[in-house]
Amino acid sequence: MKILQRSVAVAAAALIAGSALAGCTQATIFGSYPQDLSWSYKDNSSTLSIGGYIYYNYSAFTAASQKVKNGTGDFLSQKLKNDDGKEVTAQEYIAQVTEDACKNYIYVNKTFEDKKLSLTAEEISSYKKNADSYWTYYKTVFEKLGVNKDSFVSAGYENSAKLEAIFKSIYGEGGEKEVSTADMQKYYEDNYVNYSYLSVPLYDTSTDSNNQSKNTKKSDADIKKIKSDLEKYAADINKGTSYEDEVKVYMKDYNIKTDPTITATNILKKAGLGEDIEKTLEGLKDGQAKYITVGEGGDSATCYLLYRGSIKDEAKKLASDENTKYSVLVNMKSEEFQKDVKEQAKKVKCEVNTAAIEKYPCTNYITEPATEAATSAASSGSK
């Protein structure tokens, strides 16, 4: 479950060195001993490797490139809006997001240790498997930048698993802010919608001589019949016939062997159903149905038979469904949790190895392709 979804990156060295990071002291060289350049941020609980810093740095650089008008070449002086809505340069944005990410890493590890938490064998296996999968795709990019697999896993995946454990320790069973099943059921009933639907395209699909898919609008007579039938199915449901029975009628009428229904229970705005479907479902009461047509083009329009089921019946299942129960808990409390983590991370007292950081300014990435790869990799670590 993604708890803390945010872009992460490392700042340009000059900006970090000159910003006098609140709560952090600058590492210095004593005598003639060479300084250790293998780490970037640290406190008594943990150390963020320089590779972890670069991981955050390049991810923030990529995020910034997607927020400015033209993210190719040297875009660092271009303006963008940061997470607080303030207009800053891309370089300033990268610096701040990086600092936040690095201090967040330190905060998570310290809190995890202070709370005496531990990860289960299953949780460890899960984040390692996830990291292995993404490392296969991004190994070449990150190794070229100076990020080895250990740093990739620690900064992006292990840290996220620990963050997850902290969340559970606060809001889960026995936590200082434990959320009761009754409260989750109420939130579920107030915010979730149980729905089912089937779709009928108003076009036929074929493959041309070049093996390219091609859509062709159905005849006017076929389209008229489909719309008329779906309207009747919806009317029958609204008169008392079950959705399931009407689907059987549809399958018989159109000689369909496999039930085409898709059923789910979600917060509609997060379901990705599209505005037309979301608005229609919002307007229905439990037990009601309606058919709609989405799309105006003759070779892309689709009809939907939409049905809104009983959310109260689904809410009763929460007590015995741990996965759904946790998903509801995340939707209830993740925003509050993220805000608290952000505030606490800013107060972190740590040491910053400016000598190491200065070797990796964000200007290094200007020649690299600013793609979604790094952002995807960084975001995946918060799952």
Side-chain angles (χ1 to χ4, degrees):
M1 189 61 59
K2 191 172 292 184
I3 298 293
L4 188 62
Q5 185 176 18
R6 57 187 300 171
S7 300
V8 287
V10 177
L15 284 174
I16 288 185
S19 64
L21 300 180
C24 295
T25 58
Q26 309 298 314
T28 57
I29 298 177
F30 295 94
S32 60
Y33 291 99
Q35 187 163 7
D36 180 2
L37 303 180
S38 66
W39 62 276
S40 58
Y41 282 62
K42 71 178 180 181
D43 69 353
N44 293 331
S45 298
S46 62
T47 299
L48 176 64
S49 68
I50 193 62
Y53 174 88
I54 298 168
Y55 170 85
Y56 292 145
N57 183 228
Y58 186 58
S59 299
F61 176 87
T62 304
S65 75
Q66 296 166 355
K67 287 177 173 289
V68 296
K69 291 183 178 180
N70 182 4
T72 60
D74 185 354
F75 61 85
L76 298 180
S77 62
Q78 291 185 46
K79 296 293 184 69
L80 56 83
K81 292 288 184 66
N82 65 14
D83 295 340
D84 297 322
K86 181 182 177 181
E87 188 174 72
V88 296
T89 65
Q91 191 163 9
E92 290 169 337
Y93 173 86
I94 294 169
Q96 188 60 61
V97 171
T98 299
E99 178 187 336
D100 290 347
C102 293
K103 293 180 75 173
N104 179 79
Y105 176 92
I106 299 297
Y107 169 77
V108 168
N109 278 278
K110 178 172 173 51
T111 304
F112 187 84
E113 181 180 284
D114 290 347
K115 283 177 158 289
K116 295 180 172 57
L117 300 175
S118 61
L119 299 176
T120 66
E122 183 180 1
E123 289 168 335
I124 293 172
S125 175
S126 177
Y127 85 68
K128 285 185 175 180
K129 184 178 180 180
N130 198 18
D132 286 344
S133 175
Y134 278 94
W135 182 250
T136 299
Y137 289 103
Y138 303 121
K139 175 182 177 181
T140 301
V141 172
F142 280 117
E143 283 189 336
K144 182 178 179 181
L145 296 173
V147 182
N148 62 26
K149 186 177 181 181
D150 286 345
S151 294
F152 178 80
V153 174
S154 177
Y157 298 83
E158 181 182 12
N159 197 249
S160 291
K162 289 179 178 179
L163 183 66
E164 194 86 13
I166 295 168
F167 177 84
K168 291 177 181 178
S169 76
I170 295 172
Y171 299 103
E173 185 176 353
E176 59 261 40
K177 297 181 180 180
E178 178 181 355
V179 180
S180 68
T181 299
D183 285 343
M184 278 189 267
Q185 287 178 329
K186 185 178 187 310
Y187 179 88
Y188 194 74
E189 291 180 14
D190 291 344
N191 295 276
Y192 283 68
V193 172
N194 173 247
Y195 59 87
S196 298
Y197 69 86
L198 61 82
S199 60
V200 186
L202 300 183
Y203 55 85
D204 296 312
T205 302
S206 59
T207 303
D208 62 22
S209 58
N210 295 320
N211 204 32
Q212 298 294 313
S213 180
K214 180 182 178 181
N215 294 341
T216 305
K217 178 184 174 183
K218 289 180 179 292
S219 68
D220 291 343
D222 285 344
I223 292 175
K224 182 178 180 180
K225 182 180 187 306
I226 290 170
K227 290 184 175 182
S228 176
D229 287 344
L230 292 183
E231 185 174 27
K232 182 179 183 302
Y233 302 147
D236 288 344
I237 292 171
N238 293 333
K239 291 176 183 177
T241 304
S242 72
Y243 172 82
E244 291 76 15
D245 284 344
E246 283 303 314
V247 171
K248 291 177 183 178
V249 174
Y250 163 73
M251 292 172 65
K252 181 179 179 181
D253 289 346
Y254 287 84
N255 194 30
I256 295 173
K257 304 301 182 184
T258 303
D259 189 341
T261 295
I262 293 176
T263 298
T265 304
N266 283 311
I267 295 175
L268 288 180
K269 291 182 179 179
K270 298 183 178 182
L273 297 172
E275 184 178 358
D276 292 335
I277 294 176
E278 289 175 9
K279 284 186 175 181
T280 302
L281 287 171
E282 284 177 352
L284 295 176
K285 296 179 180 179
D286 289 2
Q288 288 187 331
K290 187 173 183 178
Y291 103 90
I292 64 170
T293 302
V294 177
E296 298 179 358
D299 59 355
S300 63
T302 300
C303 279
Y304 291 86
L305 176 63
L306 305 174
Y307 173 73
R308 180 162 176 163
S310 171
I311 194 61
K312 290 186 179 294
D313 290 343
E314 292 298 310
K316 293 176 183 177
K317 303 175 184 178
L318 275 184
S320 59
D321 187 344
E322 289 301 319
N323 288 335
T324 302
K325 190 176 178 181
Y326 182 63
S327 176
V328 173
L329 180 62
V330 169
N331 280 323
M332 287 180 71
K333 295 299 181 179
S334 61
E335 185 175 348
E336 174 185 299
F337 179 64
Q338 290 177 44
K339 181 179 179 181
D340 185 58
V341 167
K342 184 176 181 180
E343 291 176 352
Q344 294 303 318
K346 287 183 179 297
K347 301 174 184 178
V348 161
K349 296 184 182 300
C350 59
E351 188 175 3
V352 181
N353 191 349
T354 56
I357 290 173
E358 284 174 352
K359 292 175 65 67
Y360 301 96
C362 61
T363 52
N364 286 355
Y365 311 130
I366 291 175
T367 57
E368 297 289 341
T371 68
E372 294 183 2
T375 297
S376 298
S379 295
S380 68
S382 297
K383 292 180 179 178

